């Protein structure tokens, strides 16, 4: 995906010289990189890639509900004639975005944190605003590799080198190369974000939602930042830097202020009871929605990792942290100076090498001279460990300490040891070996433990979130996570007893 973007960029720049369209929002002619036909065609093509890379949430009722809200807003927008499409993506990431031509996406990961139909409308209205004002079409640049901000200060460099130095091995383990999809999504300027807020607010008023709910959505995002900082502090980690989608947006404080002003101006002339927040409809729609990692992406439960589609499980050594991103699984030690990365070896390389571990090490990883050792992982899976030298794609020599293992269903996996330096690798060696040996086909017990969490609506009990937290499967600051889920993080108001609130089970 990344390698294709320079060509796309060149093509759009060439178009820029000759196209001019009327902007649907301003009514002004503007020089553009895409006329409407090109815009729709580009959107339709990228839409297929987004669907393939993120995966569509398999829930027809919820898709129809979100599409209904979206179509109502789009029909009240400046480009009602476009063929609009609204899709809930099966991703635990918190995200929403638009493609040129009228393609709008929201992740289930964002939907769990919203509390009303009006907040959903606020998200969709903002994204519709990007499309009606032709922000994506105006923006010829493509943003590459957004997201995945796991803060691997010490391991990052090595991972990048591995990803680039090993042709084809940086393939998604779960089929969700989300960083790739992000490359298709335009990054907007601050002014464009503020304009999308204004337009969204306008569309909300036209469809009888109070744009004040857009303020609640910004609050949801702000609370995520605060929770991430609080959770990091509680675990003794450094506070994470804001993920890409936050970094590319204007400061949430500035957006809050502007939306409050816009809401006041637009709502001023409306009589009481003109708006409907659709809270009960929304809560009913999200009852049962998956929360956190799904079956498709693989699940982390304590020190265990389960990946049902791949049929494998692993156990992290005590004190290690598990990071499951779209391309790989990372087990990082407490000192954050060593770890193990697990990836699926691309099927093409397995085919080309006939699944030979030695050939995969040589052709896929550039292994040259070193020591190889045969072993069994998880008691039964044939594996080959290599420790020695490798030559990367540019011909540079480096070291490699990796295991190739044949998993279930003819799949082959790479387990590579990573460390800041040789001393760190030496210290971590026993723990990393334990982690490697834990790699196994999923057992019946593993399958039972790998049940994804889902949202459930319950009446708010007298004992409050503290009571709900005691029976929650959430492990990291469960009470705070429940407050976050219900839009009352920090010092905000409590729900009333008996009011429906979201829990995880
Ligand atoms: Zn935006």
């Amino acid at each position: 995906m990344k390698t294709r973007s320079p060509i796309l960029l060149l093509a759009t720049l060439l178009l820029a010289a000759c196209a001019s369209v009327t902007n649907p929002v301003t009514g002004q002619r503007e020089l553009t990189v895409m006329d409407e036909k090109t815009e729709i065609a580009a959107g339709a093509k990228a839409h297929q890639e987004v669907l393939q890379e993120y995966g569509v949430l398999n829930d027809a009722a919820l898709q129809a509900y979100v599409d209904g809200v979206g179509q109502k807003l789009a029909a009240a927008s400046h480009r009602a004639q476009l063929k609009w499409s609204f899709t809930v993506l099966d991703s635990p990431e918190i995200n929403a975005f638009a493609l040129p031509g009228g393609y709008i996406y929201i992740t289930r990961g964002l939907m769990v944190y919203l509390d009303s139909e009006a907040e959903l409308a606020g998200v969709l209205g903002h994204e519709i605003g990007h499309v009606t004002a032709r922000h994506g079409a105006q923006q010829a640049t493509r943003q590459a590799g957004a997201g995945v901000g796991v803060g691997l200060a010490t391991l990052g460099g090595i991972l990048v080198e591995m990803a680039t130095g090993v042709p084809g091995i940086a393939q998604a383990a779960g089929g969700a190369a989300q960083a790739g999809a992000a490359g298709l999504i335009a990054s907007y300027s601050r002014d464009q974000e503020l304009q999308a807020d204004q337009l969204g607010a306008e569309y909300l008023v036209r469809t009888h939602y109070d744009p004040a709910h857009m303020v609640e959505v910004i609050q949801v995002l702000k609370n995520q930042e605060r929770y991430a900082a609080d959770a990091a502090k509680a675990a003794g980690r450094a506070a994470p830097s804001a993920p890409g989608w936050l970094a590319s947006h204007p400061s949430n404080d500035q957006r809050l202020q502007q939306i409050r002003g816009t809401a006041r101006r637009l709502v001023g002339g409306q009589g009481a009871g003109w708006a409907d927040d659709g809270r009960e409809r929304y809560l009913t729609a999200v009852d049962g929605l998956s929360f956190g990692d799904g079956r498709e992406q693989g699940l982390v439960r304590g020190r265990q990792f389960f990946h049902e589609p791949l049929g494998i499980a692993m156990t992290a050594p005590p004190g290690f942290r598990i990071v499951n991103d779209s391309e790989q699984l990372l087990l990082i030690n407490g000192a954050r100076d060593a770890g193990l990365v697990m990836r699926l070896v691309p099927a093409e390389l397995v085919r080309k090498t006939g699944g030979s571990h030695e050939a995969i090490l040589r052709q896929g990883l550039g292994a040259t001279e070193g020591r190889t050792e045969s072993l069994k992982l998880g008691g039964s899976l044939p594996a080959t460990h290599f420790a020695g030298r490798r030559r990367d794609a540019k011909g540079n020599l480096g070291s490699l300490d990796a295991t190739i293992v044949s998993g279930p269903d003819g799949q082959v996996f790479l387990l590579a040891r990573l460390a800041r330096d040789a001393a760190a690798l030496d210290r971590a060696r026993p723990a990393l070996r334990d982690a490697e040996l834990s790699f196994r086909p999923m057992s019946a017990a593993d399958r039972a433990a790998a049940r994804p969490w889902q949202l459930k609506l319950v009446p708010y009990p007298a004992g409050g979130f503290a009571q709900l937290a005691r029976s929650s499967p959430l492990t990291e600051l469960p009470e705070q996570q429940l407050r976050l889920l219900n839009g009352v993080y920090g010092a905000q108001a409590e729900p009333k007893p008996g009011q429906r609130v979201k829990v995880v089970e």
Side-chain angles (χ1 to χ4, degrees):
M1 194 97 29
K2 266 185 209 162
T3 54
R4 247 175 30 225
S5 56
I7 301 163
L8 270 179
L9 186 60
L10 181 63
T12 50
L13 287 176
L14 288 173
L15 279 169
C18 51
S20 153
V21 298
T22 302
N23 186 295
V25 168
T26 62
Q28 307 282 308
R29 296 294 287 177
E30 64 182 22
L31 263 186
T32 178
V33 294
M34 281 188 203
D35 60 17
E36 187 169 74
K37 224 177 106 196
T38 315
E39 178 195 344
I40 292 170
K45 184 168 175 288
H47 176 59
Q48 293 309 322
E49 299 186 34
V50 168
L51 296 187
Q52 200 166 38
E53 294 191 18
Y54 277 78
V56 177
L57 184 74
N58 182 15
D59 183 339
L62 190 66
Q63 296 286 359
Y65 172 71
V66 171
D67 187 63
V69 174
Q71 296 296 346
K72 193 165 64 171
L73 288 158
S77 78
H78 292 90
R79 299 181 79 181
Q81 82 295 347
L82 273 185
K83 197 170 159 289
W84 292 86
S85 134
F86 298 86
T87 309
V88 184
L89 298 172
D90 188 8
S91 165
E93 280 180 26
I94 297 174
N95 208 353
F97 55 92
L99 287 175
Y103 297 90
I104 311 282
Y105 310 88
I106 182 168
T107 57
R108 65 171 170 80
L110 175 53
M111 285 196 74
V112 296
Y113 289 103
L114 302 180
D115 261 317
S116 68
E117 191 174 290
E119 289 182 10
L120 171 65
V123 172
L124 300 179
H126 173 97
E127 297 305 329
I128 291 171
H130 279 309
V131 175
T132 56
R134 297 176 48 82
H135 292 160
Q138 285 168 353
Q139 204 95 15
T141 52
R142 296 288 186 274
Q143 169 196 354
V148 223
V150 291
L152 286 166
T154 56
L155 298 176
I158 306 168
L159 287 176
V160 169
E161 196 274 330
M162 274 199 60
T164 52
V166 183
I169 213 142
Q171 293 276 322
Q178 298 177 344
L184 294 166
I185 298 152
S187 86
Y188 305 115
S189 72
R190 214 186 54 133
D191 286 348
Q192 287 175 328
E193 291 300 346
L194 295 174
Q195 188 186 23
D197 281 342
Q198 300 263 22
L199 291 167
E202 204 175 320
Y203 305 152
L204 258 67
V205 172
R206 291 186 194 170
T207 48
H208 300 278
Y209 296 110
D210 188 334
H213 292 289
M214 292 180 83
V215 173
E216 291 162 9
V217 176
I218 309 282
Q219 197 64 50
V220 165
L221 303 181
K222 279 176 71 88
N223 287 345
Q224 292 290 335
E225 289 176 327
R226 284 172 59 199
Y227 173 76
D230 291 348
K233 206 171 141 199
R237 298 191 302 263
S241 55
W245 54 270
L246 278 178
S248 66
H249 275 67
S251 95
N252 284 326
D253 291 321
Q254 188 189 355
R255 292 181 67 197
L256 270 174
Q257 209 176 23
Q258 189 198 276
I259 293 174
R260 284 210 179 97
T262 307
R264 261 198 304 277
R265 181 167 55 75
L266 290 172
V267 177
Q270 310 274 357
W274 69 277
D276 171 17
D277 71 0
R279 179 180 152 84
E280 293 307 314
R281 279 195 303 277
Y282 185 82
L283 293 180
T284 300
V286 297
D287 199 353
L289 185 58
S290 296
F291 176 83
D293 289 346
R295 226 178 272 279
E296 294 308 308
Q297 296 94 11
L299 292 140
V300 178
R301 292 288 179 264
R303 290 199 285 124
Q304 309 290 338
F305 173 75
F306 307 108
H307 201 297
E308 231 176 73
L310 296 174
I312 50 136
M314 276 186 95
T315 304
F320 273 55
R321 189 170 159 229
I322 304 180
V323 179
N324 176 28
D325 78 30
S326 56
E327 301 201 332
Q328 66 216 346
L329 181 75
L330 285 160
L331 309 179
I332 304 154
N333 70 351
R336 295 173 56 77
D337 60 6
L340 191 72
V341 58
M342 188 269 282
R343 288 179 179 185
L344 189 62
V345 174
E348 198 191 319
L349 183 57
V350 175
R351 218 172 18 248
K352 255 184 15 205
T353 54
S356 149
H357 294 177
E358 298 255 347
I360 289 168
L361 282 163
R362 284 181 204 293
Q363 294 175 35
L365 291 155
T368 55
E369 71 271 25
R371 208 160 28 77
T372 56
E373 169 200 1
S374 293
L375 62 164
K376 293 247 189 287
L377 303 191
S380 64
L381 301 173
T384 306
H385 179 249
F386 172 88
R389 312 273 284 162
R390 70 176 281 247
R391 195 178 290 279
D392 70 16
K394 293 198 189 93
N396 301 317
L397 275 176
S399 59
L400 176 67
D401 192 328
T403 303
I404 304 293
V405 53
S406 297
D409 301 326
Q411 301 165 116
V412 181
F413 296 83
L414 161 71
L415 302 167
R417 296 177 186 178
L418 305 168
R420 184 163 49 198
D421 50 41
L425 185 60
D426 271 343
R427 281 193 302 271
R429 220 178 280 280
L432 296 177
R433 174 46 62 101
D434 284 349
E436 287 156 7
L437 291 171
S438 80
F439 184 95
R440 60 189 182 270
M442 274 180 91
S443 65
D446 287 335
R447 282 178 204 284
R451 191 182 64 83
W453 289 329
Q454 52 177 217
L455 279 193
K456 187 158 187 266
L457 274 296
V458 299
Y460 191 59
F465 287 113
Q467 181 184 335
L468 293 172
R470 282 195 289 275
S471 56
S472 176
L474 298 171
T475 49
E476 189 181 70
L477 307 182
E479 188 179 338
Q480 278 87 333
Q481 278 205 66
L482 288 171
R483 302 187 75 91
L484 189 63
L485 257 182
N486 286 284
V488 290
Y489 196 71
Q492 293 153 40
E494 294 285 319
K496 293 184 191 64
Q499 182 184 326
R500 286 207 290 175
V501 293
K502 292 178 267 180
V503 296
V504 173
E505 8 166 278

